[in-house]
Amino acid sequence: MHKVFVSGSMRIKNINHEVLKRIDNIINSKYQVLVGDADGVDSSIQSYLLQNKVSSVSVYCAGSQPRNNLGHWSTNNVQTIHSPGTRAFFTAKDLVMAEDCDYGLMIWDAKSTGTLSNTLELLKRKKSSLVFVNKEKLFVKVKEVKDLELLISYMSESSLVKADKKIGLLSSIEAFKNEQSSLF
């Protein structure tokens, strides 16, 4: 069974109908949904899955207790050495989700470094993601570094600077480019 990592910005509470169509395709294809436990996109997707009586869902959380598990689905508790509440603490579950999934579906506000980091992690693992850029109301398929560059073109300059500072975005892009050029 294919597994889809669904993730997104905590600031996004209302999921666009085009994204919900994609979620419906995932449900109808009988894929398993891997979703986090955060507020925002995670809890909104959980709510939609619950309304649609979807059972093939796994909720991932860092530590022992999920913040949200609306459907009381199976939980994958990721243990981490990082201090609770820190970025590294919550990122631990995202890294496991990136490893466990086959594909990603991201809903992004063109600012969230968490969602962008998840897209990077999938790319590192040679897995593709479909990113819905919420403010533009469009999807960007990220399969290689040029797709990632297109995706970040939707960021403001200040958001790009913050993302680079938080997650080393630009050095990650350079590393992908160097990796690709070394293949030839």
Side-chain angles (χ1 to χ4, degrees):
M1 173 189 306
H2 290 289
K3 298 176 184 177
V4 182
F5 175 6
V6 180
S7 172
S9 306
M10 290 178 70
R11 290 182 193 95
I12 298 173
K13 309 273 189 266
N14 298 312
I15 308 298
N16 182 281
H17 70 279
E18 291 300 319
V19 174
L20 295 179
K21 283 187 199 176
R22 299 291 176 133
I23 297 293
D24 290 340
N25 289 342
I26 291 167
I27 294 167
N28 293 333
S29 297
K30 307 267 191 259
Y31 292 172
Q32 182 170 4
V33 177
L34 310 182
V35 65
D37 66 332
D39 292 327
V41 167
D42 289 356
S43 61
S44 295
I45 292 297
Q46 284 188 28
S47 179
Y48 187 75
L49 295 170
L50 180 61
Q51 289 169 19
N52 286 281
K53 298 175 177 51
V54 179
S55 60
S56 57
V57 177
S58 293
V59 176
Y60 284 63
C61 70
S64 60
Q65 197 71 352
R67 295 168 286 181
N68 292 293
N69 186 349
L70 305 179
H72 305 286
W73 295 288
S74 68
T75 304
N76 188 329
N77 300 75
V78 176
Q79 300 307 312
T80 174
I81 59 168
H82 301 288
S83 299
T86 63
R87 175 177 184 74
F89 178 80
F90 293 115
T91 298
K93 72 166 170 44
D94 294 330
L95 295 174
V96 174
M97 292 171 77
E99 196 61 43
D100 290 353
C101 76
D102 298 299
Y103 314 100
L105 175 62
M106 310 292 159
I107 302 98
W108 188 48
D109 63 1
K111 295 178 187 175
S112 167
T113 54
T115 307
L116 196 53
S117 180
N118 291 343
T119 304
L120 282 168
E121 290 300 327
L122 289 171
L123 195 56
K124 283 179 189 174
R125 290 165 174 76
K126 311 282 190 255
K127 297 176 184 182
S128 62
S129 56
L130 186 62
V131 182
F132 184 77
V133 183
N134 202 54
K135 72 177 188 169
E136 301 293 331
K137 308 295 183 236
L138 60 81
F139 287 98
V140 176
K141 190 168 195 167
V142 180
K143 290 179 79 167
E144 53 189 82
V145 70
K146 70 178 176 68
D147 304 327
L148 182 60
E149 290 177 310
L150 171 64
L151 181 66
I152 67 169
S153 73
Y154 293 103
M155 299 178 82
S156 69
E157 186 63 32
S158 63
S159 293
L160 183 62
V161 168
K162 284 180 189 173
D164 190 40
K165 193 177 220 177
K166 273 186 166 179
I167 63 170
L169 177 61
L170 299 177
S171 61
S172 292
I173 289 172
E174 284 307 309
F176 283 126
K177 285 180 176 180
N178 291 336
E179 180 183 309
Q180 285 182 343
S181 67
S182 70
L183 297 174
F184 299 104

